Amino acid sequence: MPTIRMVDESDGDAAGDALSAVVTQRGRGANFYRMYANSPGTLDTACALIWNLWDAVVVDRATIELTILRVSQLVGAEYEWVHHRQMALDAGLSESKIVMLDRWSESEVFSARERALLALVDASVTETTIPPAVVSEFQHHFADDEAVDLFTVIGLYRTIGQMLVGFNIELEPWARRTGNEWRGPTAQQAVAHE
């Protein structure tokens, strides 16, 4: 059960109105938006940043989704994983990469570019300071504009994942479908890892 109010469009307050605006724009009020609507200004800002990262960055969508899926594994955010798994497939990320993501460093399915990115994701989420060698290898494969976009995706989705786990946000019934099974640690295991 969520530990924060789940805003409803019919609440008749600023939060409900903010959620209604998102539903009008995106088509449905996922629990993620219902959580964020507790702070209408933050909801507007977060949506603008998220939608820009999805729609206007120079990095291809499959790489963004690979990043989001790995972040969700590391922070234990099942909600984030389930919502982005199909998006990753739709963007062209292969099923084999999704299946092997938790063991990426042992797998041959990832390119050198993807491995450099995944090493950066792991270090960004699990370390206090990212080792310079990890950043250097990452920058060898990504242009400066791509690097800024990807660092932003990592930081944003780490924060979102931690909010989803911290507030115990549950999956919507429509989000639970075969094939989107969670491929990461439980929230408790993720916290113990840090």
Side-chain angles (χ1 to χ4, degrees):
M1 170 173 261
T3 61
I4 193 170
R5 173 186 168 208
M6 297 302 287
V7 174
D8 191 86
E9 291 176 82
S10 64
D11 286 350
D13 58 6
D17 293 345
L19 178 61
S20 182
V22 168
V23 170
T24 299
Q25 193 167 10
R26 284 300 198 201
R28 66 174 122 189
N31 287 343
F32 164 80
Y33 298 117
R34 295 178 66 210
M35 169 195 71
Y36 252 109
N38 281 288
S39 177
T42 302
L43 173 65
D44 289 344
T45 302
C47 286
L49 180 57
I50 291 165
W51 298 339
N52 180 64
L53 288 171
W54 287 355
D55 301 332
V57 297
V58 297
V59 179
D60 66 277
R61 185 64 186 263
T63 300
I64 290 172
E65 294 299 337
L66 175 67
T67 304
I68 294 168
L69 289 178
R70 184 61 182 153
V71 169
S72 72
Q73 284 183 323
L74 294 170
V75 300
E78 177 183 12
Y79 183 100
E80 197 166 55
W81 172 274
V82 169
H83 277 270
H84 282 272
R85 186 183 180 283
Q86 187 61 52
M87 289 184 224
L89 289 168
D90 292 346
L93 194 64
S94 70
E95 179 71 29
S96 62
K97 288 181 180 180
I98 293 172
V99 168
M100 294 303 298
L101 190 54
D102 59 343
R103 297 176 309 278
W104 70 265
S105 63
E106 305 161 10
S107 174
E108 299 297 321
V109 301
F110 297 97
S111 68
R113 177 178 161 97
E114 290 167 329
R115 296 171 75 74
L117 169 61
L118 293 169
L120 180 77
V121 172
D122 285 14
S124 295
V125 174
T126 63
E127 304 289 331
T128 304
T129 304
I130 304 168
V134 171
V135 176
S136 177
E137 181 64 17
F138 170 74
Q139 288 183 295
H140 176 73
H141 293 279
F142 292 91
D144 290 348
D145 54 354
E146 294 174 312
V148 169
D149 289 346
L150 289 167
F151 261 103
T152 302
V153 169
I154 294 166
L156 176 63
Y157 279 90
R158 179 181 182 183
T159 298
I160 290 170
Q162 289 173 325
M163 288 175 67
L164 292 165
V165 171
F167 291 135
N168 198 33
I169 303 304
E170 299 170 337
L171 282 165
E172 304 82 0
W174 52 264
R176 294 189 182 278
R177 54 188 176 263
T178 304
N180 276 349
E181 289 81 14
W182 175 230
R183 298 193 66 82
T186 65
Q188 294 77 22
Q189 290 170 325
V191 169
H193 181 269
E194 293 178 354

